[in-house]
Amino acid sequence: MTYDRLVCANCAAPVSQGRCPVCRANRERLQQQEGPFGGLNPLALIVLMVVLVAALALLAQQTA
Ligand SMILES: [Zn+2]
């Protein structure tokens, strides 16, 4: 996501293109930093919130 706009200091090409070893190393490092949450973070957060609210609603119904 964020590394799309990064320009490599070694080959002056976008890091996302991976033209040189420095690019590829940076790309891998950045992708690992983003981790499994990198691509789906907003959607995952929304889903998590919906699940939490639903669980709370169910709990409230059962206890009330
Ligand atoms: Zn490069």
Side-chain angles (χ1 to χ4, degrees), residues 3-60:
Y3 66 87
D4 282 345
R5 292 177 191 169
L6 272 181
V7 172
C8 177
N10 191 41
C11 66
V15 169
S16 58
Q17 290 184 10
R19 286 190 183 179
C20 75
V22 176
C23 286
R24 288 192 283 274
N26 274 326
R27 193 174 52 173
E28 270 183 32
R29 187 170 51 85
L30 288 167
Q31 279 175 341
Q32 280 171 3
Q33 270 183 358
E34 286 180 0
F37 303 109
L40 56 117
N41 208 6
L43 186 66
L45 271 177
I46 291 169
V47 169
L48 207 68
M49 285 296 292
V50 169
V51 168
L52 265 176
V53 168
L56 279 175
L58 274 175
L59 270 176

